[in-house]
Amino acid sequence: MANEGASVSNKQVIFNNYVTGFPKESDMKITTGSIELKVPEGSKDSVLLKNLYISCDPYMRERMSKLDRPSFVDSFKPGSPINGYGVAKVLDSTHPKYEKGDLVWGFTGWEEYSLITAPQLLIKIQHTDVPLSYYTGILGMPGVTAYAGLYEICSPKKGEYVYVSAASGAVGQLVGQYAKLAGCYVVGSAGSKEKVDLLKNKFGFDDAFNYKEEPDLAAALKRCFPEGIDIYFENVGGKMLDAVLLNMRVRGRIAVCGMISQYNLEKPEGVYNLAQVIGKRIRMEGLLAGDHYHLYPKFLELVLPAIKEGKIVYVEDIAEGLENAPTALVGLFTGRNVGKQLVVVARE
Amino acid sequence: MANEGASVSNKQVIFNNYVTGFPKESDMKITTGSIELKVPEGSKDSVLLKNLYISCDPYMRERMSKLDRPSFVDSFKPGSPINGYGVAKVLDSTHPKYEKGDLVWGFTGWEEYSLITAPQLLIKIQHTDVPLSYYTGILGMPGVTAYAGLYEICSPKKGEYVYVSAASGAVGQLVGQYAKLAGCYVVGSAGSKEKVDLLKNKFGFDDAFNYKEEPDLAAALKRCFPEGIDIYFENVGGKMLDAVLLNMRVRGRIAVCGMISQYNLEKPEGVYNLAQVIGKRIRMEGLLAGDHYHLYPKFLELVLPAIKEGKIVYVEDIAEGLENAPTALVGLFTGRNVGKQLVVVARE
């Protein structure tokens, strides 16, 4: 580890400029600055972090756009490092809640070391007998999203029919496994044979299909759910949502977690079958993990034993080194990743 | 009244054939059959009704189409009378729940007299110190829709911002008044100056606008709701829903009661702004009155005194005579009606 207090080099992933359409690696660049490994004199309530893992998440696409209206996130700042969820170690702290040596997860920078001047939202990691990288996924924001989205918004009942799109992703693979634990019949879709195999053979989905090989999504869903769908965990949007609406059952529930098929389009696709919501009394509800972090302790009580007992598994797609972070991030939007995409900045 | 047991003439509104696009008067025809004013010998659990008022409701448009998939309603049967909600008097009964002279509301035929062989769903009218026609509107299906949609689905809180489209219609005028009773700030839209005046001056909406005169619906809503919309009562769909989604606030609620702008289109319009649901954690929920009839006694306890004390008013558009029923029904879809559209078949 670098000497504390000394100035060291600090590799960073810089956001170049606002993006339209699919993001490219050239929308980011790697630079090297320097940083002192101490909270600067007079900075109260701050921490200096050594970043270990950073998380690539679909919601980051919106932050690459110039947002001309209020959103739940800010745009990235051109010329500044990307930021997002990650796992880090506290090297120095002037905040009473954190001390040197603590492991934390939460918002940090895409760089080797970050000075965080508002660390209140960093969550201290208490359990280290699981892979630390899991705090970017199953034990982090995507994990809370899957848990709260399924249990709080969709209230699954034994025997219900559950459909998950983008089902091998960071959130989807967990939703499917939670729904199986709740006694549901679960089908997932993904964009390659490899991912479909994972769904069926690794995550225990009852069935799965490759949406790219289905000319008629509504027919594919009808085939997988002859009785219809009770719960849809929405990660995709657009044509997929339209096909789902036709196949929903009365009193169906849709947790709207993301719409990744839409993020890179100049104009989103229309959704044409919303009138189905009326006759079927469908409930659709949007979801952000941030609203549910108060459930985190209860969530850990369920998930940590399930991980240790092998009742829940988690597949990660791990890129090595900050210099590979741009490729990892843009790969999300073409589905290049298999499982939860993250980047190792440093192993502790 | 006709002699009971004698065969009398029975004017009927016959549905000619399935409709595409806007319905026309010529999609129906008036014929005269005959009927004996008694439940036929051997017909158990049946009633013979004299129809007094029949109700024209937007959901009936779907029933004019040939439905090629399951829906919450059946298509009308070509060559048979239209049926729908109405108010009627029992002339004869072999059902233990009903007796001669009872007034009822519920499903009946568009004809002078109807034999109902499954009358279980007819609700007996206990309160006749209000206009009987109200049981097609404020005290019938539209009334329950407005009440359950606003109170059960949207849970309005004092000071919240409520928007109602098709706001002078059978349901909208009530939603706005209930929302005012709940202490909300209420804006409605409608399609003529006359209707906008009603909203502001008769129903007590805080503001109202004519959507036909607004080239930019999102801008109109922004003007009326600079702080955004907490609750949207959806009667319209399409472009209106898109404009609303842009103006919803975090944790907003949308009760989806109808989408009248879409019913006559060969292909519905796309809705493009659904991704707003995620960041704003919007809840949208479809609504049918039929799910909420168990609340009817509680509902009457609230509404009957409110009517008598003048706290709630109701505007009806009353057509005279079955022969005018086709015009009344098709007028719904161009907004010709001002207030709740109904037809007098006979005054008691």
Side-chain angles (χ1 to χ4, degrees), chain A residues 21-343:
Chain A
F22 278 83
K24 306 175 299 296
E25 292 166 40
S26 60
D27 293 321
M28 292 158 272
K29 67 172 177 230
I30 311 292
T31 63
T32 303
S34 73
I35 189 167
E36 219 178 308
L37 296 185
K38 267 190 85 56
V39 172
E41 197 91 20
S43 291
K44 280 178 61 181
D45 292 342
S46 298
V47 295
L48 195 290
L49 299 180
K50 178 182 183 183
N51 295 309
L52 304 176
Y53 300 97
I54 55 174
S55 180
C56 299
D57 296 297
Y59 81 91
M60 298 172 84
R61 175 63 190 84
E62 187 168 4
R63 305 188 62 201
M64 300 179 119
S65 297
K66 190 170 167 62
L67 298 171
D68 52 0
R69 51 169 186 267
S71 175
F72 67 102
V73 289
D74 294 328
S75 296
F76 293 127
K77 203 172 143 198
S80 290
I82 301 271
N83 61 17
Y85 285 97
V87 174
K89 185 168 191 169
V90 176
L91 296 188
D92 189 25
S93 171
T94 57
H95 191 290
K97 188 173 150 192
Y98 307 95
E99 60 185 48
K100 183 177 159 179
D102 281 348
L103 292 164
V104 294
W105 72 268
F107 249 57
T108 188
W110 281 33
E111 54 193 351
E112 291 175 280
Y113 304 97
S114 297
L115 175 68
I116 307 289
T117 53
Q120 300 83 344
L121 296 176
L122 292 172
I123 297 180
K124 280 214 260 190
I125 293 175
Q126 314 281 3
H127 304 272
T128 55
D129 51 351
V130 287
L132 273 186
S133 58
Y134 277 15
Y135 289 93
T136 68
I138 181 171
L139 297 175
M141 180 275 285
V144 173
T145 302
Y147 173 85
L150 186 70
Y151 289 115
E152 299 288 310
I153 292 186
C154 298
S155 308
K157 288 186 280 292
K158 196 173 173 210
E160 285 195 316
Y161 297 97
V162 176
Y163 173 54
V164 187
S165 57
S168 69
V171 175
Q173 56 176 301
L174 294 171
V175 173
Q177 293 180 81
Y178 288 141
K180 284 304 300 172
L181 290 179
C184 297
Y185 181 87
V186 183
V187 180
S189 61
S192 73
K193 183 176 181 311
E194 180 187 7
K195 293 178 184 180
V196 167
D197 287 345
L198 269 182
L199 295 178
K200 291 201 232 183
N201 303 321
K202 179 105 183 165
F203 302 131
F205 284 53
D206 294 289
D207 202 354
F209 66 90
N210 179 349
Y211 71 91
K212 290 180 180 169
E213 290 183 350
E214 298 290 346
D216 180 342
L217 289 171
L221 290 170
K222 182 81 191 161
R223 186 182 74 227
C224 293
F225 294 101
E227 308 287 326
I229 300 166
D230 293 298
I231 291 174
Y232 173 46
F233 200 97
E234 164 69 304
N235 290 312
V236 163
K239 292 183 181 64
M240 183 63 87
L241 178 55
D242 257 340
V244 169
L245 285 166
L246 293 178
N247 284 283
M248 288 297 286
R249 302 181 87 184
V250 166
R251 300 224 157 276
R253 288 137 273 155
I254 299 178
V256 188
C257 169
M259 294 192 169
I260 197 169
S261 74
Q262 305 300 299
Y263 297 160
N264 304 296
L265 306 180
E266 208 154 315
K267 187 184 175 184
E269 290 179 293
V271 173
Y272 296 88
N273 296 327
L274 273 178
Q276 295 286 315
V277 163
I278 306 167
K280 295 175 177 170
R281 289 86 98 197
I282 294 167
R283 178 161 53 77
M284 291 179 69
E285 190 166 342
L287 162 69
L288 289 186
D291 292 338
H292 301 278
Y293 284 148
H294 62 281
L295 301 173
Y296 194 64
K298 183 177 149 195
F299 163 78
L300 284 184
E301 273 176 39
L302 174 96
V303 181
L304 286 169
I307 293 172
K308 289 170 195 164
E309 293 161 23
K311 286 186 188 159
I312 291 193
V313 296
Y314 201 58
V315 170
E316 298 177 317
D317 193 328
I318 303 182
E320 289 286 333
L322 267 180
E323 54 282 5
N324 289 312
T327 309
L329 180 57
V330 306
L332 283 182
F333 301 101
T334 55
R336 213 181 41 81
N337 58 305
V338 177
K340 195 301 174 269
Q341 181 70 59
L342 63 109
V343 179

